[in-house]
Amino acid sequence: MTVNFNKYQNNLVPAIIQDSNTKTVLMLGYMNQEALQKTQTSKHVTFFSRSKNRLWTKGESSGNYLELVDIKVDCDQDALLISAKPVGPTCHTGSDTCWDEKNESSFGFLTELETIITQRKNDASDSDSYVASLFKEGMNKIAQKVGEEAIEVVIEAKDENDTLFLNESADLLFHYLILLQAKGFTLKDVESILISRNS
């Protein structure tokens, strides 16, 4: 890995720190060659502190280390993307990130869909809502719908119509998200089990 430390003043390059699991950006720091080398050997992310004018390992006083997973250099070789596992909150304020955000997994539109399902679940008075009607009918109906959609996915998987297969897959996933919430869980709970199985 080649990094152009001579491009900027004080031979420092920006280092973006990203949670290796959630992909949340945790903080931005600066590294010189010595900080990068210490990060690689110690496996704890180390910066050059411009205010202290010395090397500074994140967590050296708080214990909230950033455990190194991977380092990538950008196309111009003058910026670093560092994947790390945070031990505790990253920001000195106690926040998960230096942008005062929660460091949580996000599944893009599926996370939005979970939020919509929660809203419909909590607003049982919405008579036009299909989701609300399922929650009204109870666990047996929701579980039955998941079973029906699963069978339809299997049937379409044996056919050659990819459009039907994908549509039935979407129906299955949608109803599975409803079932998860009916049981008091979310995709994050399922993700944590998959992560534990992979370790």
Side-chain angles (χ1 to χ4, degrees):
M1 176 174 59
T2 302
V3 183
N4 184 1
F5 288 104
N6 300 318
K7 187 168 183 178
Y8 300 115
Q9 282 187 335
N10 303 323
N11 299 323
L12 299 177
V13 297
I16 300 163
I17 314 303
Q18 182 181 47
D19 187 298
S20 60
N21 179 36
T22 65
K23 307 306 178 189
T24 299
V25 175
L26 302 174
M27 67 174 289
L28 170 69
Y30 293 88
M31 288 185 173
N32 59 12
Q33 190 165 11
E34 190 180 358
L36 177 59
Q37 288 172 345
K38 186 171 180 182
T39 296
Q40 291 171 313
T41 56
S42 71
K43 303 304 180 187
H44 286 153
V45 178
T46 299
F47 303 97
F48 183 85
S49 171
R50 295 171 298 170
S51 58
K52 299 173 184 176
N53 198 35
R54 65 170 177 84
L55 292 188
W56 165 66
T57 298
K58 176 71 184 79
E60 64 186 21
S61 56
S62 66
N64 296 332
Y65 293 101
L66 293 167
E67 297 178 350
L68 177 66
V69 174
D70 185 42
I71 301 175
K72 290 183 173 65
V73 63
D74 79 337
C75 57
D76 292 323
Q77 299 178 323
D78 59 5
L80 299 170
L81 177 61
I82 299 179
S83 296
K85 292 181 180 177
V87 179
T90 297
C91 187
H92 70 281
T93 64
S95 176
D96 287 351
T97 79
C98 290
W99 288 269
D100 196 27
E101 295 177 326
K102 290 276 189 188
N103 183 15
E104 297 178 335
S105 295
S106 175
F107 306 100
F109 176 70
L110 292 180
T111 297
E112 289 182 41
L113 190 53
E114 282 190 312
T115 301
I116 293 169
I117 290 169
T118 300
Q119 292 168 347
R120 302 280 164 79
K121 174 186 177 183
N122 294 334
D123 186 11
S125 62
D126 186 355
S127 59
D128 294 329
S129 168
Y130 171 71
V131 173
S133 70
L134 279 180
F135 280 109
K136 280 182 189 176
E137 293 189 62
M139 181 64 71
N140 286 344
K141 181 63 176 178
I142 295 171
Q144 176 188 335
K145 285 298 297 180
V146 172
E148 290 172 1
E149 298 300 341
I151 291 169
E152 290 175 11
V153 167
V154 171
I155 291 170
E156 294 303 334
K158 295 181 177 183
D159 204 348
E160 299 298 323
N161 191 323
D162 291 343
T163 300
L164 284 177
F165 170 72
L166 288 174
N167 274 280
E168 294 299 345
S169 297
D171 288 345
L172 173 59
L173 182 53
F174 175 68
H175 286 89
Y176 176 63
L177 292 176
I178 295 172
L179 179 61
L180 276 176
Q181 290 208 24
K183 294 290 291 181
F185 300 111
T186 68
L187 280 174
K188 290 176 186 174
D189 297 300
V190 177
E191 180 197 40
S192 66
I193 292 174
L194 293 174
I195 290 170
S196 69
R197 289 179 180 176
N198 191 46
S199 59

